[in-house]
Amino acid sequence: MTKILMVCLGNICRSPLAEGILRSKLSSNTYTIDSAGTAGYHIGNPPDKRSVAVANKYGLDISNLRGRQFTVSDFDIFDYIFVMDESNFDNVSSLARNEGDIEKVKLILNEVYPNQNYSVPDPYYGGKEGFENVFKMLDEACSLIADRLS
Ligand code: 4NP
């Protein structure tokens, strides 16, 4: 079983979308996919309605996902930890205990644009176009991740 974790700040907008999208591209028999937030603001909460809506528009149901906070034990569980932006990268890396932990942490858009360190913008304070934009970015990145893994 290969285990992949998607991480953003709140675990209600970007990372639940990334989780749902990657799940739709990989078999659950061989891949475990989860998501978490670096902050604890939304523990136990469902994804933002706008993320649920854009997922639905593209045929995915993420409404059953619930927010949780990233913890250091995630480094032991997951093989790959994809973060959405540099702030997530810094927050997750600051919990790393060794080089092996740090090596698991990747900016997800570096899968599409190697070494460019682009961010998936936080859509929380914007309109629904922001969620559409985030969906398209994550869909492209997750297609490449799925192709490379399988
Ligand atoms: P996310 O977006 O990190 O993509 O889930 C956010 C959701 C909530 C907050 C910030 C970002 N917040 O400050 O509550």
Side-chain angles (χ1 to χ4, degrees), residues 3-149:
K3 301 193 178 86
I4 303 152
L5 183 66
M6 300 296 190
V7 176
C8 63
L9 174 60
N11 192 211
I12 56 165
C13 297
R14 292 165 292 177
S15 60
L17 271 177
E19 177 183 348
I21 292 167
L22 190 61
R23 274 204 188 159
S24 74
K25 298 178 190 290
L26 290 170
S27 166
S28 61
N29 294 329
T30 37
Y31 295 91
T32 295
I33 299 149
D34 192 10
S35 64
T38 58
Y41 316 136
H42 298 285
I43 294 171
N45 292 353
D48 187 285
K49 287 189 178 67
R50 296 162 295 176
S51 282
V52 173
V54 75
N56 251 326
K57 178 177 167 186
Y58 292 101
L60 304 178
D61 182 3
I62 62 166
S63 62
N64 290 331
L65 302 182
R66 292 295 178 267
R68 74 167 179 90
Q69 190 167 14
F70 182 86
T71 71
V72 71
S73 60
D74 287 315
F75 287 117
D76 298 323
I77 297 168
F78 292 94
D79 303 297
Y80 300 92
I81 299 170
F82 288 109
V83 298
M84 303 294 133
D85 62 33
E86 298 212 52
S87 157
N88 309 148
F89 188 93
D90 291 344
N91 287 325
V92 170
S93 300
S94 72
L95 296 174
R97 301 154 300 183
N98 52 51
E99 277 303 308
D101 287 353
I102 291 181
E103 277 169 17
K104 294 183 177 185
V105 189
K106 315 253 179 234
L107 276 168
I108 194 166
L109 289 186
N110 278 350
E111 300 301 310
V112 186
Y113 308 103
N115 307 313
Q116 297 300 302
N117 297 341
Y118 292 142
S119 291
V120 180
D122 185 344
Y124 187 62
Y125 293 106
K128 78 174 192 187
E129 330 73 57
F131 284 78
E132 181 84 27
N133 182 41
V134 164
F135 187 96
K136 289 184 173 147
M137 289 177 164
L138 291 175
D139 191 54
E140 189 176 11
C142 288
S143 289
L144 290 167
I145 293 167
D147 286 350
R148 286 171 190 151
L149 288 174

